[in-house]
Amino acid sequence: MPQNEYMERWRKLHGRRLDHEERTRKKAAREGHKASEDAQKLTGLRAKLYQKKRHHEKIQMKKQIKAHEERNVKSSAPNEPSTTPLPQYLLDRSNPTNAKALSSAIKNKRAEKAAKFSVPLPKVRGIAEEEMFKVVKTGKKTAKKGWKRMITKPTFVGPDFTRRPVKYERFIRPMGLRYKKAHVTHPELGVTVNLPIISVKKNPQNPMYTQLGVLTKDGHRSPTIVKMMGVSTPVLEVVKIL
C-alpha cells in the first residue's frame, strides 16, 4: 500500500467519529471569530497583508451578491418610446421589463474559455541530470555498472502501473515520492481542494520527464501541467508542489 493512503484506509475500515459532523460544523462556525481576532491582533506587515486579503474577499462577495440580486430585475422604464397610440387609461401605466443579468456560472464559463490557451508557463531553467537522477551502482563484479538511475523528484504513476523486472528496470521511482493526489489552490476563489491526478500532460523541462511523470517545482523553474479529475480551468492544472 502506498504510504500516503493510510488515512483513507483507516476511514474505510473504521469510519469517522460519531461527532464528526458536529465538530465540522463548530469549526466552520468558529472561523468568523478567528478572523475577527486576527484582524484585531495582527500588526505590521502581517496586518497589511491580512487586510489586503480580506479586502479582495469582500469585493468578490459583493460582486456575487450583486450578480445574484440582478438575476431577475424588473424595471418600469420602457426601452423605447412607443409609436402606437395608447388609450387614456393606459397612459399612466408603464410596462414592466425584465433585465436578465448573467449568472456567475456563465461568467465563469466565459472566463475559462478565454483562458483556455493561456496557461502561464514561465521561462524554463533546465534541471541538470545530476539533480534529477541519482546513479545506482549494480552488479556483482568489482567495477559495478552505473546504468540505472533513481529519480529524486516527486513522480506520478497511474493505477495500472507495474514495475519492470529489476534486471531490465532503468529508471527507479521510489514509493515515497509517488504522488496520486495534489492540493490545488484557486487564487481568485481562495479555495484549496485535494484532487486525484489523472496524468501528466506536459513537463516543459524535458520530454523524457513527461514520459516518466516527473513533477517539478514552481518558482524560478517551470511548473508541470497536470490533468486532474474535476478540474476544467487550465489555471488549476498548474500544480505547485511545495
Side-chain angles (χ1 to χ4, degrees):
M1 182 186 68
Q3 297 178 0
N4 58 347
E5 292 184 358
Y6 60 93
M7 296 178 70
E8 288 83 352
R9 183 173 180 274
W10 172 269
R11 195 174 296 123
K12 289 178 182 178
L13 291 175
H14 305 284
R16 298 182 182 272
R17 292 172 55 120
L18 296 177
D19 59 344
H20 173 73
E21 288 78 11
E22 184 67 16
R23 288 165 63 92
T24 306
R25 183 189 64 80
K26 288 184 177 181
K27 185 178 180 181
R30 285 194 299 266
E31 289 181 356
H33 298 279
K34 180 67 168 59
S36 175
E37 184 180 359
D38 290 344
Q40 296 178 43
K41 289 189 175 181
L42 289 178
T43 57
L45 181 60
R46 289 188 178 181
K48 291 182 179 179
L49 294 174
Y50 182 80
Q51 295 301 335
K52 185 178 180 181
K53 175 187 169 187
R54 286 290 298 158
H55 182 64
H56 288 305
E57 290 178 359
K58 289 178 181 178
I59 290 175
Q60 294 299 326
M61 192 183 304
K62 288 182 179 179
K63 285 184 178 179
Q64 291 182 359
I65 293 173
K66 187 176 180 182
H68 184 72
E69 289 177 349
E70 290 182 354
R71 192 167 296 174
N72 264 327
V73 181
K74 289 187 177 181
S75 61
S76 58
N79 296 332
E80 296 178 358
S82 178
T83 55
T84 58
L86 293 176
Q88 186 68 27
Y89 62 89
L90 287 179
L91 287 177
D92 295 334
R93 298 185 185 182
S94 57
N95 299 323
T97 57
N98 291 329
K100 192 81 173 178
L102 287 175
S103 64
S104 58
I106 299 175
K107 290 182 180 178
N108 292 337
K109 284 185 179 179
R110 287 186 176 179
E112 290 173 11
K113 194 173 182 181
K116 187 175 182 181
F117 301 104
S118 61
V119 178
L121 289 179
K123 294 182 179 179
V124 178
R125 183 189 73 85
I127 298 179
E129 288 195 1
E130 291 80 13
E131 186 179 352
M132 178 65 68
F133 301 111
K134 177 183 176 184
V135 179
V136 178
K137 300 286 186 178
T138 180
K140 292 184 179 179
K141 296 182 180 179
T142 307
K144 292 184 178 181
K145 299 178 181 178
W147 61 279
K148 287 194 175 185
R149 298 290 184 268
M150 181 181 292
I151 302 174
T152 60
K153 302 295 179 183
T155 57
F156 166 77
V157 294
D160 303 328
F161 171 76
T162 54
R163 290 182 60 180
R164 299 184 66 184
V166 179
K167 187 176 180 181
Y168 305 107
E169 188 179 34
R170 173 165 168 75
F171 296 101
I172 303 170
R173 284 169 272 199
M175 287 287 294
L177 291 176
R178 295 183 191 175
Y179 280 51
K180 290 187 176 179
K181 297 181 180 180
H183 292 284
V184 182
T185 302
H186 197 293
E188 297 177 1
L189 299 178
V191 177
T192 302
V193 289
N194 189 11
L195 299 174
I197 302 174
I198 298 177
S199 64
V200 176
K201 295 178 69 175
K202 182 181 179 183
N203 191 330
Q205 295 284 343
N206 197 328
M208 185 177 65
Y209 299 164
T210 305
Q211 185 179 1
L212 294 173
V214 180
L215 308 176
T216 52
K217 289 186 178 181
D218 188 37
H220 58 281
R221 300 171 186 169
S222 179
T224 307
I225 305 176
V226 179
K227 186 178 181 182
M228 308 189 69
M229 187 177 297
V231 176
S232 59
T233 309
V235 177
L236 292 183
E237 294 180 358
V238 179
V239 176
K240 299 181 181 178
I241 302 174
L242 303 177

